[in-house]
Amino acid sequence: RNCSVTLKCSVTSRAAVSIHWTWTDGNSGNEVTHNGSLLDLPLSPSDHKGSSLACHAHNKISNVTITVPQITCQYSATVSGGFPVCLWKTIMFSIGLVIMLSAVVGVHIREVVTNKKECAAEAQTSKT
């Protein structure tokens, strides 16, 4: 599954600055250069291993290269229908919790009712 990343490289300078990007594919070793401060980068999971990305800025006075840490696609897992797994787990956990809580409350109410009946029966027995 692929994703797309947009990166921006900018420099504050009074002098004119030229900016370009280099992307080295970790699989093939091919290097791709892109001129400009914005880079739209389509990624696939296999692109991450051993790949490198750098922004190069230069003017008449200096050259600066910044290497970007490894970029990864973040996927949110979904079950069929596009429903997020995390939300699905939260709903199922909540339903289970409500069922368990209902069972505990039900048992408690049954014990209270049973105790009241026993007390009432004892009270009737003592009056006679």
Side-chain angles (χ1 to χ4, degrees), residues 7-81:
L7 300 169
K8 180 178 182 179
C9 183
S10 62
V11 177
T12 304
S13 173
R14 292 186 183 146
V17 177
S18 176
I19 296 176
H20 73 274
W21 292 89
T22 56
W23 163 263
T24 306
D25 186 325
N27 296 325
S28 66
N30 292 340
E31 185 174 283
V32 178
T33 302
H34 173 77
N35 292 322
S37 61
L38 288 178
L39 174 66
D40 290 319
L41 189 63
L43 295 174
S44 68
S46 63
D47 289 336
H48 304 312
K49 297 177 182 171
S51 297
S52 65
L53 179 64
C55 170
H56 309 276
H58 59 90
N59 60 17
K60 295 177 183 177
I61 301 168
S62 67
N63 294 315
V64 176
T65 298
I66 302 293
T67 303
V68 178
Q70 186 175 12
I71 300 170
T72 58
C73 295
Q74 296 294 324
Y75 303 112
S76 46
T78 57
V79 292
S80 62

Side-chain angles (χ1 to χ4, degrees), residues 99-117:
I99 290 170
M100 288 188 292
L101 185 61
S102 298
V104 169
V105 169
V107 168
H108 178 70
I109 290 172
R110 192 174 83 195
E111 285 183 16
V112 168
V113 169
T114 302
N115 286 343
K116 283 186 178 182
K117 286 181 182 178

